[in-house]
Amino acid sequence: MPPRLLLFLLPRGSLLPPLRRPSPALSPLIRRIPSNKPPGYFFLSPVRAFSGYSGMAAAGSPEQQPRSVVVKETVELTEKEEQIFRRLLDVVRHFGLGTQLRVAGGWVRDKLLGKDSADIDVALDNMTGQNFCEKVNEYLELIGEEQKGIGVIQCNPDQSKHLETARMLILDIWIDFVNLRSETYAENSRIPTMEVGTAKADAYRRDLTINSLFFNINNNSVEDLTGRGIEDLKKGLIVTPLPAKATFLDDPLRVLRAIRFAARFNFTLAEDLKEAASDERVKSELGSKISRERIGHEIDLMMSDKHPVKAMYDIRDLGLFYVVFSFPENSNPPVFDKCDWQCVSHIEAAWNLAYSIGSSVFNSGSDPKLQDEQRRLYLYSALFVPLRNMFYLDRRSKRVPVSSYIIKHSLKLKGSDAETVVNIHAASEKFAELVHLLESSFDVRTFKEKLEDEYLEIPTDSVKRVCAGLILREIKDFWRLALLVSILSNPEAENAAGILNKQDELHWRKEKYIRVERAITDLDLDGVWKLKPVLDGKSIMGVMQVKSGGPLIGKWQQRALKWQLAHPNGTMDECIEWMKQSQSKRQKVESST
């Protein structure tokens, strides 16, 4: 059976996802670690990292000194990695290929930092990735194993993909294969001239020294061919192998990658790198030559990682905020002075507040993916709080929030992300009034009058529950996020409380959140959006003895919902009886007048 070749043509902005799976044991060839850890032992979800990061309070400090980082002297292989590498070497030896196999980049860096990684990229010195994958399939056929499909990711300079990459499953793990290369850039072009290169040339063309390390599979050794990759890793420094400005002009996306890795590992950007990143020409090239999808992808990775506040500080301090988060023309009101500072200040406050409360803020049951998603949307919502009252007119003269434009057009993220952020902003303003209602014992008649009409009367002791229930049914699972954002964006209340410093401010916000959340849960409203209406439209039509729906039925559905919130233990028969009585009373009033 001939080897199969599957060609995956990827749409702009998409990536083939690597298969990530923790391995329980480490290599007997190099060093073995006990394998009695539970599955996932090496993986911490962003939420857990979020709630356990003690350095968050200092996230906005303007200067960060280089620090000492513990770096392992050897790469510790898992049993699975040993098996994969042994299989690859068997292919090389069987066919006499003479190929040097090197694992490149992030996998080596993470292994030296003691982190697990399943992102294995193998660099080949004498053949293309596709050709090597075909040899692997030939070998599989010889030993009687099933051949695997080969995915070929075409080179795409617009996506920072400058050379064809082949991908296939080796022992159930996705492995990428690419040949070593050197590259030169023509003036005014991000498209490099690619040539087969040496390992040293390949190392120097990498974005950062900490990503330029190789692990040579043939001799089980780490290769630091720039001469400073391990040193920079130990110092916690983000440095480019070649001069930073030239590196960034060759590929401006590397500016954001540098910021992302600095934030991920809490490393320090080198001074010459910061100077190059702040260069006006580099900023111009980043805004004009890099697709918005790629910029958005980098920002989304930052927001989903361990230290998003540090990343936003670097973006702001390097003068990149308005390049990354481009605003629409003619926003109303116009972009105000220090808008970037306000936005970063809000995301820092949001991070500190959520960290002080704990991961229960992102309450999506036991599903860590939903928790991570809530965390990500919360941070975007907080970042754009200062913009929540800014709008622009689109091509159809429709009034659109500026935050929606940035998410959908500047970052090219999902439309649902923009919709959720806008909804959280809207709900946070409603929460400001609700918070006041839930925390006070003042006369609720104003709220009561808003809820009632000639057919519906709300018991005074149920007003708070009905008001809160209606708002929570709009925002649903994101109500805690809206509450947090509401607390962050209410400085008048903080001023009234006489807060003098940031620590008092954080404590005040935390206590306020806890009190309001407790009030909502005490009212048994967490999950109220899942409440099935006691009467549906068809039942209401039957009570009213009409054959078709319309605005009148819609109004009665809303009244029935308020009645249900005010009478949580009420039955369908009781609701029908209330409807009949309220209609009868209304008819008597109308006949008497």
mmCIF file of all heavy atoms in Angstrom, residues 44-50 300 303-305 359 362-364 367-380 478 481:
data_model
loop_
_atom_site.group_PDB
_atom_site.id
_atom_site.type_symbol
_atom_site.label_atom_id
_atom_site.label_comp_id
_atom_site.label_asym_id
_atom_site.label_seq_id
_atom_site.Cartn_x
_atom_site.Cartn_y
_atom_site.Cartn_z
ATOM 1 N N LEU A 44 -1.053 22.828 35.055
ATOM 2 C CA LEU A 44 -1.876 23.701 35.887
ATOM 3 C C LEU A 44 -2.763 24.515 34.974
ATOM 4 O O LEU A 44 -2.285 25.158 34.043
ATOM 5 C CB LEU A 44 -0.990 24.647 36.713
ATOM 6 C CG LEU A 44 -0.136 23.992 37.801
ATOM 7 C CD1 LEU A 44 0.730 25.040 38.476
ATOM 8 C CD2 LEU A 44 -1.002 23.307 38.830
ATOM 9 N N SER A 45 -4.062 24.484 35.224
ATOM 10 C CA SER A 45 -4.976 25.263 34.389
ATOM 11 C C SER A 45 -4.747 26.737 34.644
ATOM 12 O O SER A 45 -4.288 27.130 35.720
ATOM 13 C CB SER A 45 -6.425 24.921 34.711
ATOM 14 O OG SER A 45 -6.791 25.489 35.948
ATOM 15 N N PRO A 46 -5.009 27.610 33.644
ATOM 16 C CA PRO A 46 -4.842 29.045 33.847
ATOM 17 C C PRO A 46 -5.590 29.558 35.065
ATOM 18 O O PRO A 46 -5.133 30.472 35.724
ATOM 19 C CB PRO A 46 -5.396 29.642 32.545
ATOM 20 C CG PRO A 46 -5.204 28.578 31.524
ATOM 21 C CD PRO A 46 -5.399 27.285 32.271
ATOM 22 N N VAL A 47 -6.752 28.974 35.389
ATOM 23 C CA VAL A 47 -7.502 29.455 36.545
ATOM 24 C C VAL A 47 -6.732 29.181 37.821
ATOM 25 O O VAL A 47 -6.636 30.013 38.703
ATOM 26 C CB VAL A 47 -8.895 28.812 36.595
ATOM 27 C CG1 VAL A 47 -9.577 29.107 37.922
ATOM 28 C CG2 VAL A 47 -9.765 29.351 35.466
ATOM 29 N N ARG A 48 -6.140 27.979 37.921
ATOM 30 C CA ARG A 48 -5.391 27.669 39.136
ATOM 31 C C ARG A 48 -4.147 28.532 39.218
ATOM 32 O O ARG A 48 -3.767 28.995 40.283
ATOM 33 C CB ARG A 48 -5.022 26.187 39.172
ATOM 34 C CG ARG A 48 -6.225 25.285 39.401
ATOM 35 C CD ARG A 48 -5.790 23.888 39.765
ATOM 36 N NE ARG A 48 -5.163 23.209 38.639
ATOM 37 C CZ ARG A 48 -5.846 22.576 37.703
ATOM 38 N NH1 ARG A 48 -7.147 22.528 37.755
ATOM 39 N NH2 ARG A 48 -5.214 21.977 36.718
ATOM 40 N N ALA A 49 -3.485 28.739 38.090
ATOM 41 C CA ALA A 49 -2.325 29.613 38.117
ATOM 42 C C ALA A 49 -2.738 31.019 38.505
ATOM 43 O O ALA A 49 -2.048 31.713 39.226
ATOM 44 C CB ALA A 49 -1.656 29.619 36.734
ATOM 45 N N PHE A 50 -3.911 31.408 38.003
ATOM 46 C CA PHE A 50 -4.456 32.732 38.304
ATOM 47 C C PHE A 50 -4.641 32.920 39.794
ATOM 48 O O PHE A 50 -4.230 33.898 40.383
ATOM 49 C CB PHE A 50 -5.804 32.869 37.586
ATOM 50 C CG PHE A 50 -6.557 34.121 37.876
ATOM 51 C CD1 PHE A 50 -6.411 35.225 37.065
ATOM 52 C CD2 PHE A 50 -7.414 34.175 38.943
ATOM 53 C CE1 PHE A 50 -7.128 36.372 37.314
ATOM 54 C CE2 PHE A 50 -8.141 35.313 39.207
ATOM 55 C CZ PHE A 50 -7.990 36.417 38.386
ATOM 56 N N ASP A 300 -4.709 37.124 22.177
ATOM 57 C CA ASP A 300 -5.555 36.135 22.832
ATOM 58 C C ASP A 300 -4.716 35.141 23.642
ATOM 59 O O ASP A 300 -5.118 34.719 24.730
ATOM 60 C CB ASP A 300 -6.403 35.401 21.795
ATOM 61 C CG ASP A 300 -7.800 35.097 22.290
ATOM 62 O OD1 ASP A 300 -8.346 35.882 23.097
ATOM 63 O OD2 ASP A 300 -8.362 34.075 21.871
ATOM 64 N N MET A 303 -3.794 36.955 26.829
ATOM 65 C CA MET A 303 -4.915 37.090 27.752
ATOM 66 C C MET A 303 -5.268 35.757 28.404
ATOM 67 O O MET A 303 -5.856 35.725 29.485
ATOM 68 C CB MET A 303 -6.133 37.644 27.023
ATOM 69 C CG MET A 303 -5.949 39.062 26.521
ATOM 70 S SD MET A 303 -5.847 40.245 27.868
ATOM 71 C CE MET A 303 -7.457 40.980 27.782
ATOM 72 N N SER A 304 -4.915 34.660 27.758
ATOM 73 C CA SER A 304 -5.252 33.334 28.280
ATOM 74 C C SER A 304 -4.116 32.730 29.098
ATOM 75 O O SER A 304 -4.259 31.635 29.632
ATOM 76 C CB SER A 304 -5.596 32.388 27.118
ATOM 77 O OG SER A 304 -6.670 32.895 26.355
ATOM 78 N N ASP A 305 -3.013 33.449 29.198
ATOM 79 C CA ASP A 305 -1.839 32.905 29.874
ATOM 80 C C ASP A 305 -1.780 33.366 31.323
ATOM 81 O O ASP A 305 -2.712 33.980 31.837
ATOM 82 C CB ASP A 305 -0.569 33.305 29.112
ATOM 83 C CG ASP A 305 0.462 32.188 29.094
ATOM 84 O OD1 ASP A 305 0.523 31.427 30.072
ATOM 85 O OD2 ASP A 305 1.214 32.082 28.107
ATOM 86 N N SER A 359 -10.657 31.497 42.489
ATOM 87 C CA SER A 359 -11.160 30.984 41.216
ATOM 88 C C SER A 359 -12.661 30.737 41.224
ATOM 89 O O SER A 359 -13.244 30.458 40.179
ATOM 90 C CB SER A 359 -10.432 29.686 40.846
ATOM 91 O OG SER A 359 -10.629 28.711 41.855
ATOM 92 N N PHE A 362 -15.036 32.429 38.629
ATOM 93 C CA PHE A 362 -15.345 31.846 37.326
ATOM 94 C C PHE A 362 -16.048 30.515 37.579
ATOM 95 O O PHE A 362 -15.462 29.439 37.461
ATOM 96 C CB PHE A 362 -14.078 31.670 36.504
ATOM 97 C CG PHE A 362 -13.267 32.925 36.466
ATOM 98 C CD1 PHE A 362 -12.059 33.021 37.148
ATOM 99 C CD2 PHE A 362 -13.726 34.051 35.799
ATOM 100 C CE1 PHE A 362 -11.331 34.190 37.126
ATOM 101 C CE2 PHE A 362 -13.001 35.221 35.790
ATOM 102 C CZ PHE A 362 -11.797 35.290 36.458
ATOM 103 N N ASN A 363 -17.304 30.618 37.938
ATOM 104 C CA ASN A 363 -18.054 29.470 38.420
ATOM 105 C C ASN A 363 -18.802 28.807 37.271
ATOM 106 O O ASN A 363 -19.909 29.188 36.934
ATOM 107 C CB ASN A 363 -19.035 29.916 39.507
ATOM 108 C CG ASN A 363 -19.703 28.737 40.185
ATOM 109 O OD1 ASN A 363 -19.363 27.600 39.917
ATOM 110 N ND2 ASN A 363 -20.640 29.019 41.067
ATOM 111 N N SER A 364 -18.142 27.849 36.638
ATOM 112 C CA SER A 364 -18.787 27.107 35.543
ATOM 113 C C SER A 364 -18.755 25.626 35.840
ATOM 114 O O SER A 364 -18.375 24.801 35.016
ATOM 115 C CB SER A 364 -18.073 27.404 34.219
ATOM 116 O OG SER A 364 -18.252 28.738 33.837
ATOM 117 N N ASP A 367 -16.007 22.294 34.767
ATOM 118 C CA ASP A 367 -15.423 22.331 33.432
ATOM 119 C C ASP A 367 -14.333 23.406 33.370
ATOM 120 O O ASP A 367 -14.635 24.601 33.341
ATOM 121 C CB ASP A 367 -16.507 22.632 32.393
ATOM 122 C CG ASP A 367 -15.994 22.446 30.969
ATOM 123 O OD1 ASP A 367 -14.760 22.502 30.778
ATOM 124 O OD2 ASP A 367 -16.810 22.255 30.060
ATOM 125 N N PRO A 368 -13.040 23.023 33.357
ATOM 126 C CA PRO A 368 -11.969 24.025 33.350
ATOM 127 C C PRO A 368 -11.952 24.869 32.084
ATOM 128 O O PRO A 368 -11.544 26.026 32.118
ATOM 129 C CB PRO A 368 -10.692 23.182 33.489
ATOM 130 C CG PRO A 368 -11.074 21.811 33.046
ATOM 131 C CD PRO A 368 -12.520 21.646 33.390
ATOM 132 N N LYS A 369 -12.418 24.306 30.958
ATOM 133 C CA LYS A 369 -12.432 25.087 29.720
ATOM 134 C C LYS A 369 -13.400 26.249 29.818
ATOM 135 O O LYS A 369 -13.100 27.367 29.355
ATOM 136 C CB LYS A 369 -12.795 24.187 28.531
ATOM 137 C CG LYS A 369 -11.705 23.203 28.145
ATOM 138 C CD LYS A 369 -12.083 22.428 26.893
ATOM 139 C CE LYS A 369 -10.958 21.484 26.478
ATOM 140 N NZ LYS A 369 -11.306 20.715 25.246
ATOM 141 N N LEU A 370 -14.568 26.014 30.418
ATOM 142 C CA LEU A 370 -15.538 27.097 30.596
ATOM 143 C C LEU A 370 -15.018 28.132 31.578
ATOM 144 O O LEU A 370 -15.230 29.331 31.407
ATOM 145 C CB LEU A 370 -16.876 26.534 31.066
ATOM 146 C CG LEU A 370 -17.686 25.749 30.030
ATOM 147 C CD1 LEU A 370 -18.967 25.215 30.661
ATOM 148 C CD2 LEU A 370 -18.013 26.627 28.823
ATOM 149 N N GLN A 371 -14.314 27.684 32.616
ATOM 150 C CA GLN A 371 -13.714 28.622 33.562
ATOM 151 C C GLN A 371 -12.670 29.492 32.875
ATOM 152 O O GLN A 371 -12.621 30.711 33.088
ATOM 153 C CB GLN A 371 -13.081 27.854 34.723
ATOM 154 C CG GLN A 371 -14.094 27.194 35.641
ATOM 155 C CD GLN A 371 -13.431 26.437 36.775
ATOM 156 O OE1 GLN A 371 -12.233 26.150 36.736
ATOM 157 N NE2 GLN A 371 -14.211 26.104 37.791
ATOM 158 N N ASP A 372 -11.832 28.877 32.056
ATOM 159 C CA ASP A 372 -10.818 29.633 31.321
ATOM 160 C C ASP A 372 -11.456 30.654 30.383
ATOM 161 O O ASP A 372 -10.973 31.779 30.237
ATOM 162 C CB ASP A 372 -9.929 28.680 30.511
ATOM 163 C CG ASP A 372 -9.111 27.766 31.399
ATOM 164 O OD1 ASP A 372 -9.051 28.022 32.621
ATOM 165 O OD2 ASP A 372 -8.538 26.782 30.884
ATOM 166 N N GLU A 373 -12.553 30.240 29.741
ATOM 167 C CA GLU A 373 -13.244 31.142 28.818
ATOM 168 C C GLU A 373 -13.852 32.325 29.570
ATOM 169 O O GLU A 373 -13.781 33.472 29.102
ATOM 170 C CB GLU A 373 -14.323 30.366 28.062
ATOM 171 C CG GLU A 373 -15.113 31.180 27.043
ATOM 172 C CD GLU A 373 -14.287 31.591 25.834
ATOM 173 O OE1 GLU A 373 -13.076 31.281 25.785
ATOM 174 O OE2 GLU A 373 -14.854 32.227 24.934
ATOM 175 N N GLN A 374 -14.432 32.076 30.726
ATOM 176 C CA GLN A 374 -14.982 33.179 31.517
ATOM 177 C C GLN A 374 -13.882 34.123 31.976
ATOM 178 O O GLN A 374 -14.054 35.339 31.948
ATOM 179 C CB GLN A 374 -15.736 32.630 32.735
ATOM 180 C CG GLN A 374 -17.081 32.029 32.389
ATOM 181 C CD GLN A 374 -18.017 31.982 33.582
ATOM 182 O OE1 GLN A 374 -17.645 32.332 34.693
ATOM 183 N NE2 GLN A 374 -19.237 31.553 33.347
ATOM 184 N N ARG A 375 -12.772 33.569 32.371
ATOM 185 C CA ARG A 375 -11.636 34.391 32.788
ATOM 186 C C ARG A 375 -11.157 35.291 31.651
ATOM 187 O O ARG A 375 -10.895 36.479 31.836
ATOM 188 C CB ARG A 375 -10.514 33.468 33.258
ATOM 189 C CG ARG A 375 -9.167 34.142 33.516
ATOM 190 C CD ARG A 375 -8.131 33.041 33.752
ATOM 191 N NE ARG A 375 -6.804 33.548 33.998
ATOM 192 C CZ ARG A 375 -5.926 33.823 33.060
ATOM 193 N NH1 ARG A 375 -6.258 33.672 31.783
ATOM 194 N NH2 ARG A 375 -4.728 34.262 33.364
ATOM 195 N N ARG A 376 -11.030 34.708 30.469
ATOM 196 C CA ARG A 376 -10.570 35.462 29.297
ATOM 197 C C ARG A 376 -11.531 36.606 28.965
ATOM 198 O O ARG A 376 -11.108 37.749 28.735
ATOM 199 C CB ARG A 376 -10.452 34.503 28.108
ATOM 200 C CG ARG A 376 -9.876 35.095 26.837
ATOM 201 C CD ARG A 376 -9.831 34.044 25.748
ATOM 202 N NE ARG A 376 -11.146 33.746 25.236
ATOM 203 C CZ ARG A 376 -11.708 34.358 24.182
ATOM 204 N NH1 ARG A 376 -11.063 35.327 23.553
ATOM 205 N NH2 ARG A 376 -12.899 34.020 23.767
ATOM 206 N N LEU A 377 -12.839 36.318 28.948
ATOM 207 C CA LEU A 377 -13.829 37.345 28.617
ATOM 208 C C LEU A 377 -13.918 38.412 29.704
ATOM 209 O O LEU A 377 -14.155 39.594 29.414
ATOM 210 C CB LEU A 377 -15.192 36.696 28.381
ATOM 211 C CG LEU A 377 -15.277 35.818 27.132
ATOM 212 C CD1 LEU A 377 -16.558 34.993 27.132
ATOM 213 C CD2 LEU A 377 -15.192 36.666 25.866
ATOM 214 N N TYR A 378 -13.715 38.013 30.939
ATOM 215 C CA TYR A 378 -13.682 38.979 32.045
ATOM 216 C C TYR A 378 -12.540 39.975 31.845
ATOM 217 O O TYR A 378 -12.706 41.190 32.025
ATOM 218 C CB TYR A 378 -13.525 38.222 33.359
ATOM 219 C CG TYR A 378 -13.133 39.073 34.551
ATOM 220 C CD1 TYR A 378 -13.967 40.090 35.012
ATOM 221 C CD2 TYR A 378 -11.942 38.835 35.228
ATOM 222 C CE1 TYR A 378 -13.618 40.850 36.121
ATOM 223 C CE2 TYR A 378 -11.589 39.580 36.331
ATOM 224 C CZ TYR A 378 -12.424 40.595 36.782
ATOM 225 O OH TYR A 378 -12.059 41.347 37.873
ATOM 226 N N LEU A 379 -11.369 39.476 31.449
ATOM 227 C CA LEU A 379 -10.215 40.362 31.272
ATOM 228 C C LEU A 379 -10.413 41.310 30.093
ATOM 229 O O LEU A 379 -10.052 42.493 30.167
ATOM 230 C CB LEU A 379 -8.946 39.525 31.096
ATOM 231 C CG LEU A 379 -8.514 38.742 32.337
ATOM 232 C CD1 LEU A 379 -7.307 37.855 32.026
ATOM 233 C CD2 LEU A 379 -8.179 39.690 33.489
ATOM 234 N N TYR A 380 -10.981 40.818 28.994
ATOM 235 C CA TYR A 380 -11.296 41.723 27.882
ATOM 236 C C TYR A 380 -12.319 42.769 28.319
ATOM 237 O O TYR A 380 -12.192 43.952 27.980
ATOM 238 C CB TYR A 380 -11.847 40.940 26.689
ATOM 239 C CG TYR A 380 -10.798 40.316 25.800
ATOM 240 C CD1 TYR A 380 -10.742 38.938 25.614
ATOM 241 C CD2 TYR A 380 -9.865 41.112 25.131
ATOM 242 C CE1 TYR A 380 -9.788 38.356 24.797
ATOM 243 C CE2 TYR A 380 -8.897 40.535 24.319
ATOM 244 C CZ TYR A 380 -8.867 39.158 24.163
ATOM 245 O OH TYR A 380 -7.913 38.592 23.352
ATOM 246 N N PHE A 478 -22.688 34.761 32.990
ATOM 247 C CA PHE A 478 -21.660 35.786 33.151
ATOM 248 C C PHE A 478 -22.012 36.822 34.221
ATOM 249 O O PHE A 478 -21.398 37.877 34.276
ATOM 250 C CB PHE A 478 -21.426 36.494 31.810
ATOM 251 C CG PHE A 478 -20.890 35.575 30.740
ATOM 252 C CD1 PHE A 478 -21.720 35.093 29.731
ATOM 253 C CD2 PHE A 478 -19.567 35.171 30.744
ATOM 254 C CE1 PHE A 478 -21.237 34.227 28.757
ATOM 255 C CE2 PHE A 478 -19.076 34.316 29.777
ATOM 256 C CZ PHE A 478 -19.908 33.844 28.777
ATOM 257 N N LEU A 481 -19.184 37.993 36.424
ATOM 258 C CA LEU A 481 -18.259 38.879 35.708
ATOM 259 C C LEU A 481 -18.820 40.287 35.620
ATOM 260 O O LEU A 481 -18.109 41.278 35.805
ATOM 261 C CB LEU A 481 -17.980 38.327 34.310
ATOM 262 C CG LEU A 481 -17.579 36.853 34.189
ATOM 263 C CD1 LEU A 481 -17.117 36.551 32.769
ATOM 264 C CD2 LEU A 481 -16.494 36.506 35.190
#
